[in-house]
Amino acid sequence: MSWNSAVASPIRNVFDQANPANRMLIIGLTSMLTVVVAAALPAVATLGLGVDLEIPLRAADRWSSGGLPYLASSFNQTSGPGLPFLYPPWLLPIVAPFAALPRTAVLAVWLAVCAVIAAWTCRRLSVPWIGVPLVMAWPPFAEGLVTGNAQLLQFAAFAALFYVPGPAWALRRRPAATSAVPGRGAGPLVEDLKSGLMAAGVGALKYTQVLPLVWLLRPRPRAAIFGVVALVLIVVAMLPFTGIDIYRDWIDQLGRAADPAWLAAGAPLAFMIGRPAALVATIAVVLLLFLVRGRDAGAWVGIALLVVAPSIHGYGMLFLLPALLTIRRDIAIALAVLVAGYSRDAWWISITVAAVAMAASNRYPALRAPTPERDDVRKQTDRIEAD
C-alpha cells in the first residue's frame, strides 16, 4: 500500500457517512455545538424575558388610550421593550384585551405556549426527542423562547406547510402543499385551504415573509388565493376598530425600520452587500421561487426568506434549519456552530454554504443527510458484496 493510499483511506472513512469514523466526527461536532450553545445562553438571557411580547402590549396600551402605537422616537432605542412596534395595525384590537390583564400571568402563559410550539416544530421537522433540548437551546430557538417572539409561531406554520413527521432526522415533505397537482390547483379543497392558511400564517405579522404564498402560486394556485384572501379578511374585519389612517402610520414606521442607520435591524443582506445588490438578489430569488419544486422546496423557501428579509435577528435564522436538516450531518452541525456564535458574517457564511451544499447535492448525493431509505439500500448493497 502506498503512502498516499494509507493517508487517503482514513480520510475517506471520516467523510463516509456510513463509517463509524464519521459518526465519531459527528459526536465531536455535536459536543462542540453543545459547548457553544451553553456559552451563548447567558447572552441570550440578557435580551429580556418576554421583551418581544411587551412591545406589542405597550403599543396596544397606547392605542387603546388614544395614543400612537407607532412611535418614531422608538428608533432611538437599541434594545428592550422600548423598541419600535412594527406589526400591522390589525393586531392591536386583538392584543389590547391582554394588555389590560396582569403582565406576569400573560407572560407566563405566552412563554409556555412558545415552548410547546417550539417542541412541536422540532418534532414536525423529525428531530428525535433526544435532540429536541439541544435544538431548542440553539440560539435561534432560544432567543425566540426567551423574548417570546411571534416568529416561533410563524416558523411552526412554515414547518406545518412543508413537512410531515417522519423517521428521526429524516425530513419528509408534505405532499398536499409541495407536490405539483395535475390540472393546476385541482387538489382537494380542504387541503388547499389548509395550505393557504399555513402559508398566510408565515407572513401574517411580517408581510416580508409572504414568500410561501408566492411559491404556492405555481403548484397550488387555489391555495395561494385562499391565503391571500385570509390576510385581506383579517385586515377588513379589524377596520371598524383600527380605521384606515393608522395603516399610513404603519407604513411610515416600516420605512424608518428600513433605514441602514438603525442598528437594531440585525444583519439583513442589504447591510452586508448594499441595498442595490440586495434588491437584485431579492428580485432573482422571487423569480427563482417559481422553479423550486420537489423534496427540497421547504429548505429553499426558507433560504429565500432569509435573502429577502429587511431585517434578520437570531430567531430569523430558524428558516435555515430545514436546509441544515437536509444536508449531511457533519456540515450541518458545523454551520449550526457558526450560527450559534452570533456573528453576522458567520450567519451569511452558513446560509451560503448550506445553499451551495443543497444545490450540489443532486449531483453529489454524499452532500445530503442519510435517510432510512438510503440506509436500507446501503445495507442491502453491503450484504450483496459480503456474499
Side-chain angles (χ1 to χ4, degrees):
M1 179 184 294
S2 67
W3 184 88
N4 287 339
S5 299
V7 172
S9 181
I11 293 176
R12 281 198 299 269
N13 290 341
V14 169
F15 292 102
D16 179 359
Q17 295 185 82
N19 195 287
N22 184 257
R23 298 191 190 102
M24 293 302 297
L25 173 63
I26 290 173
I27 291 172
L29 289 171
T30 302
S31 301
M32 181 187 300
L33 176 60
T34 303
V35 171
V36 173
V37 165
L41 285 178
V44 173
T46 63
L47 295 173
L49 191 64
V51 66
D52 289 339
L53 173 63
E54 183 65 22
I55 292 171
L57 287 175
R58 290 189 181 187
D61 262 336
R62 294 193 298 270
W63 172 76
S64 59
S65 301
L68 297 175
Y70 300 105
L71 300 175
S73 60
S74 59
F75 286 91
N76 297 325
Q77 304 293 321
T78 58
S79 62
L83 284 169
F85 175 62
L86 299 173
Y87 292 155
W90 61 258
L91 186 66
L92 293 169
I94 298 173
V95 173
F98 296 99
L101 298 176
R103 284 288 202 273
T104 302
V106 173
L107 176 62
V109 172
W110 177 248
L111 293 181
V113 168
C114 287
V116 171
I117 287 174
W120 179 90
T121 304
C122 289
R123 294 296 293 159
R124 185 75 174 199
L125 294 174
S126 300
V127 176
W129 279 114
I130 193 173
V132 168
L134 178 59
V135 175
M136 288 178 62
W138 187 49
F141 258 124
E143 181 176 330
L145 289 168
V146 168
T147 63
N149 195 277
Q151 187 76 288
L152 295 176
L153 280 68
Q154 295 170 286
F155 184 59
F158 180 90
L161 172 64
F162 284 102
Y163 300 103
V164 295
W169 299 115
L171 283 178
R172 293 182 62 185
R173 64 189 179 92
R174 184 173 182 268
T178 60
S179 297
V181 179
R184 290 183 60 80
L189 181 65
V190 173
E191 287 299 325
D192 280 343
L193 179 60
K194 287 165 58 178
S195 296
L197 291 177
M198 286 184 287
V202 179
L205 297 179
K206 299 179 181 179
Y207 289 172
T208 53
Q209 293 182 181
V210 296
L211 284 188
L213 280 174
V214 176
W215 178 82
L216 271 178
L217 279 171
R218 186 172 183 270
R220 306 297 292 275
R222 186 169 61 185
I225 292 171
F226 281 144
V228 172
V229 169
L231 292 177
V232 172
L233 284 178
I234 193 168
V235 172
V236 172
M238 293 296 134
L239 275 179
F241 304 100
T242 63
I244 193 68
D245 291 340
I246 196 173
Y247 281 86
R248 298 191 187 96
D249 298 336
W250 174 52
I251 292 172
D252 290 341
Q253 189 84 328
L254 294 182
R256 289 187 284 266
D259 186 349
W262 186 44
L263 298 178
L269 186 61
F271 288 15
M272 310 301 291
I273 63 175
R275 185 162 294 174
L279 179 60
V280 172
T282 297
I283 295 172
V285 162
V286 172
L287 294 176
L288 288 172
L289 274 183
F290 292 98
L291 303 178
V292 172
R293 67 184 79 180
R295 58 182 175 174
D296 295 334
W300 281 120
V301 174
I303 290 174
L305 283 166
L306 293 170
V307 173
V308 307
S311 65
I312 294 182
H313 300 93
Y315 47 73
M317 292 299 291
L318 285 173
F319 287 111
L320 185 63
L321 187 55
L324 297 183
L325 293 173
T326 300
I327 61 178
R328 55 182 295 150
R329 297 282 173 260
D330 42 15
I331 296 177
I333 297 171
L335 296 182
V337 171
L338 284 180
V339 172
Y342 258 64
S343 163
R344 297 176 180 182
D345 292 335
W347 286 357
W348 283 102
I349 291 171
S350 300
I351 294 168
T352 303
V353 172
V356 170
M358 289 211 8
S361 66
N362 289 328
R363 183 174 179 84
Y364 303 102
L367 289 172
R368 300 186 69 88
T371 63
E373 292 81 6
R374 284 175 56 191
D375 289 345
D376 290 343
V377 171
R378 180 61 178 260
K379 289 175 183 176
Q380 291 175 10
T381 304
D382 291 345
R383 230 179 268 120
I384 293 172
E385 291 176 351
D387 293 341

